[in-house]
Structures are given as C-alpha cells and as structure tokens.
Amino acid sequence: MIERFRNDGLEFEVDDLGDPAAPAIILLHGFPQDRAAWSGVARELVAAGRRVLVPELRGYAELARPKQRRRYTLEVLATDVLALADEAGVDRFDLAGHDWGSALAFHVAGRHPRRVRTLTAFSVPHPAAWANAGAQQLRRSAYIGFFQLPVLPELILTPRFLERRLLASGLGPEHAHRYAFAENRRALHWYRAILAKPRTPTPRVPVPTLFAWGDGDEYVTERLARRCGQWVDGEYTFEILRGVRHWIPEMHPRRAAELVLSRCR
C-alpha cells in the first residue's frame, strides 16, 4: 500500500484502499474538489472487492502546486496518473473521473489505452465535445473565460464566496466548506492551461466507456452531454441521472459506485 507518489519533481498524497491484489480503480477529482470527493464511492468499491487509488491531484496536493500554467496541460497531468499506477505496481487499471477529473480520464484513456481497462466519466464529457457546443453552453461556461484572467479570480474566490456558490450548485455543506477553505486556488491553472502551447488534443477513446450526466447539472447542457459519444470508439453507454445535479460522487456515492462497477465487470 502506498501513501505518496512522485512525478515531475512533485509529491502527491494518495489514498490506497482495499486488497492490494485486487483489480485497481483510480478515481480522479475535479475543481475545486480534493480526494475526499470520492470517499463514499471508494467505500462502496472496496466493499465490492476492489483496490481503490484516490490521488490528490496537481494544484491541490501540498507539495505539487507548480506556478507555471504549462505544467497543468492534460498531457502533463496524464503523466501524474501513470506515475501513480507505476508506483502502486499496477499495469492496467479501471479509471473514473468527475468534472476536470473526467476530462483528464478521457485524455489518459485516449492517449494510453493499453493501461486503461475501462473508463467511467461523470458530469463532464470528452474534451473534443466542447467545440461548437452551442450558445447555451457558452453562457454556462462563462466562468472559464473569467478564470483566464491573472490574479483577479483568486481575489474574487474568497472562501465565503466559493462556499456560497458551491452550496447554491447543490453540493452538501460539509464538502462545500472543505473545498472553499482548502488551498486549491493554484488549480485554476487547469483552466488556464487550456490556452497553453503546445497543446496535445485528446484522441478518440477506444476503451469501454460509460458517461453519466445529471439532468440538473447547471454547468453542462444536455446537448453537450449527448455529444460525448461521438469521440468514443469503444463500447459506449450514456446514462442520464434524473433529478441529479453536478456533484455526483459526493451526493450520490452509491449510485456512482454502481455505475463504475457496471462498466468494470
């Protein structure tokens, strides 16, 4: 069992849970989450007999917060995931992600399909799906443009302001408070790295994939969610969760775990 791993001169914390000899599942969180986003899901997966690896990702881990946005591209972030698997002694793994963790999971599965058995993505579709996603999606994604500005977003996203926004978007109070008061603002570079060069596009995904989206999600439109499958060549399932908002792992951990396991079998 491991507690930390290293990559690119950085050090990352990780929860390594369950039987070390069991098939491994890696869970990737988004913004402004941390690995606690998956705590309920991880318990369910361990109870089902899986080994579960939940890293604190770049920009969040205490010793993994580089200042340069070019060190937050999906291509670079993917090397963190592979370094974790290597440190854990895992050649092939099932992969699940939520929010930015979903985008990263698509990239890992597309670029390194030999390492990924299956992919389960929550809330955010394949990065290529965002092109020409429509005016409604542009309005919902306006905050991404704001995050490109230097310094100002960090000043605006005070803990109290962020906590109110997270609560309003359907996240529970315990997680909202935890994320709002965490040292996670450096992770805004995940957004800023969208414009960093050189950019490596996320390829089509050849592995078996499930994408789950809640129809109450205020960040991702149904039109965008339905476009995801156009970039998956492997067996594909699109699951609409009725009455569910953006924060699927935190607010619906049992359902999320069931979906992960349904793809893993």
Side-chain angles (χ1 to χ4, degrees):
M1 309 294 279
I2 62 172
E3 296 180 352
R4 294 177 179 270
F5 67 98
R6 292 172 177 81
N7 185 49
D8 192 24
L10 307 172
E11 186 172 315
F12 304 79
E13 302 94 354
V14 59
D15 293 330
D16 184 354
L17 310 169
D19 181 358
I25 302 174
I26 296 178
L27 305 178
L28 306 176
H29 67 80
F31 180 83
Q33 299 157 301
D34 57 28
R35 67 188 190 276
W38 293 104
S39 57
V41 178
R43 282 193 296 271
E44 299 284 340
L45 297 177
V46 169
R50 297 294 181 136
R51 181 184 185 184
V52 182
L53 297 161
V54 195
E56 198 89 332
L57 291 171
R58 186 177 295 227
Y60 304 85
E62 183 178 0
L63 300 177
R65 297 172 186 160
K67 295 180 180 180
Q68 307 91 339
R69 69 176 186 176
R70 59 181 168 79
R71 296 180 69 184
Y72 291 83
T73 63
L74 289 176
E75 186 68 13
V76 173
L77 294 164
T79 69
D80 296 338
V81 179
L82 298 181
L84 165 60
D86 291 343
E87 180 67 22
V90 174
D91 180 50
R92 299 189 73 221
F93 49 88
D94 298 295
L95 184 61
H98 174 256
D99 190 80
W100 260 115
S102 173
L104 175 55
F106 275 113
H107 195 86
V108 173
R111 286 280 165 193
H112 307 280
R114 190 195 68 79
R115 304 294 302 270
V116 180
R117 283 189 298 260
T118 67
L119 168 63
T120 307
F122 294 97
S123 301
V124 169
H126 189 289
W130 290 77
N132 303 314
Q136 185 182 11
Q137 184 59 54
L138 284 174
R139 289 192 293 272
R140 293 196 188 189
S141 304
Y143 65 93
I144 297 177
F146 172 67
F147 286 167
Q148 302 306 312
L149 299 174
V151 182
L152 185 58
E154 285 87 342
L155 295 176
I156 295 294
L157 293 178
T158 64
R160 292 300 181 192
F161 176 83
L162 184 55
E163 184 175 26
R164 289 195 299 270
R165 294 301 303 156
L166 292 172
L167 290 170
S169 66
L171 186 60
E174 181 179 349
H175 281 102
H177 184 82
R178 178 187 177 96
Y179 302 159
F181 285 84
E183 294 292 330
N184 56 23
R185 303 309 189 268
R186 186 61 59 77
L188 288 169
H189 283 349
W190 285 56
Y191 294 93
R192 291 165 179 156
I194 295 171
L195 302 179
K197 295 181 180 180
R199 291 193 298 273
T200 305
T202 299
R204 302 178 67 84
V205 174
V207 307
T209 298
L210 184 149
F211 175 51
W213 167 83
D215 66 359
D217 195 311
E218 44 269 272
Y219 303 113
V220 174
T221 64
E222 182 169 349
R223 173 181 172 176
L224 174 56
R226 288 190 177 278
R227 288 165 56 88
C228 182
Q230 297 177 26
W231 285 272
V232 179
D233 292 332
E235 178 188 349
Y236 180 70
T237 302
F238 176 45
E239 190 84 19
I240 297 179
L241 306 179
R242 302 295 179 187
V244 171
R245 301 178 75 178
H246 183 73
W247 309 100
I248 298 171
E250 294 96 338
M251 306 309 295
H252 306 277
R254 179 165 295 178
R255 181 64 177 135
E258 290 171 350
L259 291 169
V260 172
L261 291 169
S262 74
R263 178 49 66 200
C264 291
R265 289 171 184 154

